[in-house]
Amino acid sequence: MSGPARPGSDASRLRHRRPLHEKWHPTTRDTADHGQPYITARAMLDVAIPSASYAQDRLRDPSPLALIDRVTAAEEAALTTTQPERCRTA
């Protein structure tokens, strides 16, 4: 793809679906506690996010990964225009 994808376009959604594999399937606490996909999936399953959510056995649990694999991330152009430097997607 040449140049940035237009926000909201199919190309933009595809580009942001899996920005970094490690963010979508974290293997360490450091990545998991900064990864919105993992935090969101874990909260949906457990209702809360205690420190135990980042234990190695929890990181290997296939349940949140199954939810994460169903997530699509897309830029919300209205939010990006209000704070373009804070909402960078690339």
Side-chain angles (χ1 to χ4, degrees):
M1 177 173 23
S2 62
R6 188 179 86 254
S9 69
D10 288 339
S12 175
R13 283 188 181 86
L14 290 173
R15 187 180 74 191
H16 299 301
R17 172 136 169 78
R18 292 264 173 136
L20 297 171
H21 178 73
E22 181 68 7
K23 293 288 186 188
W24 290 81
H25 286 188
T27 58
T28 67
R29 178 189 177 97
D30 290 338
T31 303
D33 69 4
H34 286 86
Q36 193 63 42
Y38 178 81
I39 294 169
T40 301
R42 191 90 262 170
M44 290 173 68
L45 293 167
D46 300 341
V47 182
I49 306 291
S51 293
S53 296
Y54 305 107
Q56 281 301 308
D57 62 320
R58 306 288 282 183
L59 292 173
R60 288 189 298 267
D61 179 3
S63 299
L65 301 181
L67 285 174
I68 289 168
D69 286 341
R70 298 178 70 186
V71 170
T72 300
E75 177 182 14
E76 176 57 54
L79 293 175
T80 301
T81 59
T82 62
Q83 297 183 14
E85 292 305 312
R86 296 182 71 188
C87 296
R88 296 187 74 160
T89 57

